[in-house]
Amino acid sequence: MKRKHSLVLVPLLGLSMALTACGGDDGDSGDSGSGNDGGSSAADGKIGVILPDTESSVRWESADRPALEAAFEEAGVEYDIQNAEGDAERMTQIADTMIGNGVTVLAIVNLDSESGAAIQEKAKSQGVATIDYDRLTLGGSAEYYVSFDNTVVGELQGQGLADCLGDKKANIVYLNGSPTDNNATLFAEGAHSVLDEISNYTVVGEQAVPDWDNEEAATIFQQLYTAADGKVDGVLAANDGLGGAAISILEGNGQAGKVPVTGQDATVEGLQNVLAGTQCMTVYKSATQEANALADAAIALVNGEEAQTTGTTVDSSDDSEVPSILLEPQAITKDNVGDVIDDGGQKLEDVCAGKFADLCTEAGIS
């Protein structure tokens, strides 16, 4: 079945192409990230966005927040962006405050589906429309789901690892993302769909990392590495943070650069590891592109309109279909690290700092 919208919707005419995340000045967002350009608003409403944390990935504050701020400022819409700091109770409190302060659209990156669904149900009861940003809330009631195609992310990771390993017999360890994050499930499914078809590969360890905690990931990988007697030829790590944790253990065992490791998010550290050869690849998901897609959908809802979607996503908890805007991710290897910098995903001076300057030059990045 398909989820029914709680709002009366009319077709959207061209709004999705109207926003950009570059150009205009960023507004003064204060401590909480709230902002308004002070002029006449393009939409008669207010948008709230709750980001998940600052630990699982640096992307949320370094990439998503500024891209969202730029998109909302460009559109002249009132907004409030806050971070739950990895605390589901805090996210609930922030959501209650935002609803009390008059947001008409609320977008969340859930910390787990149960708490996310409860937030969405409370919002719905108050006449506030909701959007799932980056992660689908299973059993939720979001009007839209805005993300990258996360099964494809996993497929890119699986194919990237296979490209680095080649046809030789290889033992693989999976270091999966948080079990409470539906995206992590999709990443793993996508990777398995590629790697399980290669008969020369054997899975010698697989474990999810609670809350995407990088320190815990290092402990988990050390245990998996020891259980495999050090006979690990490749690591399918779900993001750059987990990949970095695995690399730290491999370094301690003299295997960094010899055992290919995957990643995701194209973080500065991840790109530097790719350039250094200790990480096989990462996956780039443009925060600007995703933020613009969220802004388009949120502003459409503020205006009582229907956002342009690319299809639907099945909520596995009840088989409902969620109207979705799914974007295409990009595999990044040493050969195209420059694409991330050219797109504005990372700054040249950050990636190519210090000892990485020569590696950037060798890769043709300048």
Side-chain angles (χ1 to χ4, degrees), residues 2 9 32 55 75 90 104 128 142 153 174 187 220 225 339 352:
K2 189 171 183 177
L9 304 175
S32 71
E55 297 297 325
R90 176 178 169 83
T104 51
V128 176
V153 169
Y174 280 76
F187 300 151
I220 289 171
Y225 188 82
D339 287 357
C352 300

Side-chain angles (χ1 to χ4, degrees), residues 312-330:
T312 62
T313 300
V314 175
D315 180 341
S316 60
S317 70
D318 60 8
D319 291 330
S320 62
E321 295 181 359
V322 186
S324 302
I325 300 100
L326 298 182
L327 309 171
E328 288 298 316
Q330 179 183 4

